[in-house]
């Protein structure tokens, strides 16, 4: 059968249209951005609010894909008997809106043959998420339903957006995303705050734990792939029931080969955070809607990240001296080796993000390299904590000890079983590379940028001491 060129073009165009047509039902985000006035559409979502007047009714629909609601106008005297929380499908005409604060609306007149509505999922009489102000404390008692609120949903969309920006940033810088294990036989931090896996000794022939950090594993991967990163769940059996701690949390970790100067790590960490924050500022209209706190607070936090050309650096020793100068003569002074408390961190970061570097060796894990200006009387390691205003520590990293003898000596001082860690120490005997890396608490990052104050609300199902409701 002969087919003319014209017919081939028609077939090709139809095929292209079919190839680009989604097999899924359009979302509310799609309708708000792409549907044209005069078009007959179907909108699906759950009812956020219902309003009625004499001859017309109004419905706000949401489906979680955007912070904006889709406005439905029922053009009929007999209003549908719909309730907040129900999942519905509404068919009608997409039209220019006459109302304030919106440009488009879905007009539905059930008397028109192509207009209709139907209830997909009903709700109970005591459905708890009504159109009124609701506290976060109350929402935490609703582990399955809280995600439908505008505020909680906005946290998750922000979280998703930031992850895509991290993917872009690391791709630009020639990193490979890796998937290290969650089950491990090594306590990376050496703090002992691990969740032991029951019966693992029989199954794996050794005791295993849920990982507190994937660092040791991605060090091995960085030796092969040069630069690696991961965003992975981590677990710490730390009995800290605060607004900044979780037992199960996500950590962004990166490991970089051929890094010999701590300043390289500081600059890279700063570049990474500024990159994603600037992308957020570019789309602030979408990500400022539905946030929990005042818009001014959110934007001030974003500005704190981007306003300085370069974040300041201060050594731990200088930080101790600086804090001691602020104390009264009658107050006890901080000594070398004392931990910086949250109140200290907040004060140091009161004017914006700041790196505190070169902490005492005795305060840090076994794998850290000695500081460039190492003092045997006050030994420090080449590491840093990144402190944020009103929030404290956000990220931390270090150069890693890449000399086998030095590493084994450090492990001995920390009371570690060198033989058990042979899989890790062998990296220093087979083509060792100077390297360094860092970890950033993902929930803390999202919480700070959202203008919120509690990490338990930016993760769908939080795990903390006494908290495992679902």
């Amino acid at each position: 059968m002969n087919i003319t060129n014209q017919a081939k073009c028609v077939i090709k165009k139809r095929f292209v249209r079919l190839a680009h047509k989604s097999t899924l039902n359009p979302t509310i985000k799609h309708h708000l951005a792409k549907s044209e006035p005069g078009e007959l559409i179907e909108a699906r979502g759950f009812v956020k609010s219902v309003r009625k007047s004499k001859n017309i009714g109004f419905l706000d629909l949401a489906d979680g894909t955007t912070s904006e609601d889709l406005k439905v106008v029922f053009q009929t005297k007999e209003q549908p008997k719909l309730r907040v929380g129900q999942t519905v499908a509404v068919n009608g005409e997409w039209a220019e809106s006459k109302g304030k604060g919106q440009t488009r609306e879905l007009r539905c007149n059930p008397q028109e043959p192509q207009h209709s509505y139907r209830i997909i999922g009903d709700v109970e009489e005591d459905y708890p998420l009504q159109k009124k102000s609701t506290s976060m404390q109350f929402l935490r008692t609703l582990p399955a339903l809280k995600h439908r609120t505008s505020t909680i949903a906005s946290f998750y969309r922000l979280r998703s957006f930031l992850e895509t920006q991290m993917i872009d940033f690391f791709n630009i810088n020639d990193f490979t995303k890796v998937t290290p294990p969650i089950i491990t036989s090594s306590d990376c931090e050496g703090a002992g705050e691990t969740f032991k896996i029951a019966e693992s000794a029989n199954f794996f022939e050794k005791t295993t734990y849920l990982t507190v950090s994937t660092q040791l594993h991605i060090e091995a991967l960085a030796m092969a792939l040069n630069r690696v990163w991961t965003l992975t769940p981590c677990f710490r059996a730390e009995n800290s029931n605060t607004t900044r701690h979780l037992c199960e949390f996500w950590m962004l970790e990166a490991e970089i080969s051929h890094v010999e100067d701590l300043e390289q790590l500081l600059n890279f960490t700063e570049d990474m955070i500024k990159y994603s924050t600037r992308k957020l500022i570019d789309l602030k209209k979408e990500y400022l809607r539905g946030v929990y706190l005042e818009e001014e607070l959110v934007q001030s936090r974003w500005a704190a990240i981007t306003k300085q050309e370069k974040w300041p650096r201060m050594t731990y020793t200088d930080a101790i001296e600086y804090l001691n100068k602020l104390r009264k003569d009658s107050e006890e002074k901080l000594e070398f080796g004392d931990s910086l408390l949250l109140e200290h961190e907040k004060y140091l970061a009161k004017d914006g993000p700041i790196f505190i570097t070169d902490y005492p060796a005795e305060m840090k894990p076994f794998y850290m390299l000695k500081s460039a200006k190492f003092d045997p009387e006050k030994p420090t390691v080449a590491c840093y904590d990144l402190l944020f205003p009103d929030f404290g520590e956000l990220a931390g990293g270090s150069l890693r000890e890449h000399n086998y003898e030095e590493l084994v000596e450090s492990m001995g001082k920390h009371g570690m079983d060198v033989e058990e860690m042979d899989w890790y120490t062998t990296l220093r005997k087979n083509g060792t590379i100077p390297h360094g890396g860092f970890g950033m608490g993902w929930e803390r990052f999202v919480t700070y940028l959202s203008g919120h104050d509690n990490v338990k609300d930016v993760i769908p199902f939080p795990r903390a001491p006494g908290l495992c409701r679902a």
Side-chain angles (χ1 to χ4, degrees):
M1 180 176 68
N2 293 326
I3 303 178
T4 65
N5 288 335
Q6 184 178 4
K8 288 180 180 179
C9 288
V10 171
I11 293 172
K12 184 177 181 180
K13 287 180 180 178
R14 287 179 178 173
F15 176 78
V16 169
R17 284 200 299 268
L18 288 172
H20 285 82
K21 185 177 180 182
S22 175
T23 57
L24 304 177
N25 294 316
T27 63
I28 287 177
K29 184 176 183 178
H30 171 91
H31 285 313
L32 292 172
K34 298 182 179 180
S35 293
E36 297 292 337
E39 187 178 348
L40 290 171
I41 68 167
E42 179 184 69
R44 295 182 175 214
F46 50 88
V47 179
K48 295 296 292 289
S49 69
V50 180
R51 303 179 303 283
K52 299 178 181 179
S53 64
K54 187 175 181 181
N55 297 315
I56 200 168
F58 301 94
L59 195 71
D60 290 343
L61 284 186
D63 67 357
T65 58
T66 176
S67 56
E68 292 187 78
D69 295 337
L70 187 147
K71 310 297 182 184
V72 178
V73 178
F74 285 103
Q75 299 173 315
T76 176
K77 288 185 178 181
E78 291 205 19
Q79 301 300 316
K81 294 181 180 180
L82 299 175
R83 293 185 294 174
V84 171
Q86 289 175 323
T87 305
V88 300
V90 182
N91 290 270
E93 180 185 352
W94 192 238
E96 298 280 357
S97 176
K98 298 178 181 179
K100 296 181 180 180
Q102 61 187 60
T103 59
R104 301 281 192 274
E105 64 189 23
L106 176 57
R107 296 175 184 171
C108 178
N109 184 351
Q111 296 178 354
E112 295 284 341
Q114 292 181 299
H115 293 207
S116 64
Y117 72 91
R118 60 189 176 93
I119 298 173
I120 297 174
D122 207 348
V123 293
E124 297 177 314
E125 290 287 343
D126 59 349
Y127 181 71
L129 301 178
Q130 298 298 318
K131 187 175 174 56
K132 59 182 179 180
S133 179
T134 305
S135 70
M136 283 291 170
Q137 185 175 1
F138 173 68
L139 290 179
R140 292 178 199 129
T141 67
L142 306 172
L145 295 177
K146 66 176 184 178
H147 320 292
R148 300 183 190 180
T149 62
S150 299
T151 299
I152 297 291
S154 74
F155 293 156
Y156 301 159
R157 287 190 298 270
L158 173 60
R159 185 180 180 124
S160 175
F161 173 80
L162 291 172
E163 185 172 344
T164 63
Q165 302 317 303
M166 290 299 175
I167 292 171
D168 290 343
F169 177 80
F170 283 111
N171 284 343
I172 291 169
N173 287 280
D174 300 330
F175 278 71
T176 300
K177 191 173 189 295
V178 294
T179 52
I182 292 175
I183 297 175
T184 179
S185 59
S186 308
D187 178 4
C188 175
E189 300 298 323
E193 296 168 338
T194 56
F195 286 105
K196 182 178 178 181
I197 299 176
E199 304 300 327
S200 63
N202 294 329
F203 191 86
F204 291 109
E205 298 182 355
K206 62 168 59 178
T207 302
T208 59
Y209 313 89
L210 296 178
T211 188
V212 299
S213 167
T214 65
Q215 181 206 309
L216 303 186
H217 294 96
I218 65 174
E219 278 191 60
L221 295 170
M223 297 293 185
L225 299 170
N226 197 287
R227 301 174 181 179
V228 300
W229 77 286
T230 186
L231 185 57
T232 311
C234 295
F235 307 84
R236 294 193 181 178
E238 185 177 7
N239 193 19
S240 296
N241 197 0
T242 74
T243 59
R244 300 166 64 247
H245 291 87
L246 291 164
C247 295
E248 177 186 340
F249 58 97
W250 287 70
M251 183 111 79
L252 185 151
E253 295 185 272
E255 202 67 29
I256 313 170
S257 295
H258 303 288
V259 173
E260 300 182 74
D261 188 335
L262 185 62
E263 189 68 16
Q264 291 176 278
L265 272 185
L266 304 185
N267 290 337
F268 184 82
T269 306
E270 182 173 343
D271 289 345
M272 177 192 73
I273 293 173
K274 284 183 174 178
Y275 177 90
S276 56
T277 305
R278 285 174 178 143
K279 292 292 184 180
L280 178 60
I281 291 172
D282 291 342
L283 294 173
K284 64 181 180 180
K285 188 175 182 181
E286 167 66 18
Y287 290 97
L288 278 174
R289 293 194 189 99
V291 293
Y292 180 50
L293 297 178
E294 294 296 327
E295 185 174 316
E296 289 184 9
L297 172 62
V298 179
Q299 296 206 64
S300 69
R301 287 188 176 183
W302 297 356
I305 292 174
T306 58
K307 68 180 179 181
Q308 294 173 301
E309 185 174 342
K310 188 175 183 179
W311 297 339
R313 285 89 161 115
M314 179 184 288
T315 66
Y316 165 88
T317 302
D318 288 343
I320 291 293
E321 292 180 3
Y322 174 70
L323 292 168
N324 280 337
K325 288 179 181 178
L326 302 174
R327 291 174 175 256
K328 298 177 182 179
D329 293 337
S330 59
E331 294 179 320
E332 187 176 352
K333 303 292 185 181
L334 293 169
E335 301 288 343
F336 182 86
D338 288 343
S339 296
L340 295 179
L341 303 178
L342 179 58
E343 63 183 274
H344 302 140
E345 294 178 342
K346 287 184 176 181
Y347 192 85
L348 292 168
K350 66 183 188 326
D351 296 323
I354 183 172
F355 289 105
I356 306 299
T357 68
D358 300 281
Y359 283 77
E362 65 181 21
M363 297 173 64
K364 294 297 181 178
F366 70 95
Y367 51 74
M368 293 187 179
L369 188 69
K370 293 177 181 177
S371 295
K373 297 180 180 179
F374 184 78
D375 181 355
E377 294 186 3
K378 290 186 176 182
T380 57
V381 286
C383 67
Y384 72 89
D385 283 346
L386 173 59
L387 310 182
F388 262 37
D390 303 316
F391 210 75
E393 182 190 350
L394 175 72
S398 75
L399 299 181
R400 318 307 192 191
E401 179 56 71
H402 56 278
N403 178 278
Y404 177 77
E405 285 75 19
E406 294 284 351
L407 180 63
V408 170
E409 181 182 349
S410 177
M411 294 174 73
K413 290 179 179 178
H414 283 79
M416 301 186 68
D417 187 337
V418 177
E419 184 177 342
E420 182 71 20
M421 295 289 289
D422 179 66
W423 70 270
Y424 175 74
T425 59
T426 191
L427 294 169
R428 275 63 173 177
K429 295 190 292 184
N430 294 280
T432 190
I433 301 173
H435 62 288
F438 62 89
M440 180 175 73
W442 193 243
E443 282 75 26
R444 290 190 179 186
F445 186 48
V446 175
T447 300
Y448 184 81
L449 289 179
S450 70
H452 195 39
D453 59 2
N454 196 324
V455 296
K456 294 181 178 67
D457 299 321
V458 302
I459 189 170
F461 296 93
R463 303 294 185 241
L467 182 60
C468 187
R469 294 181 58 87

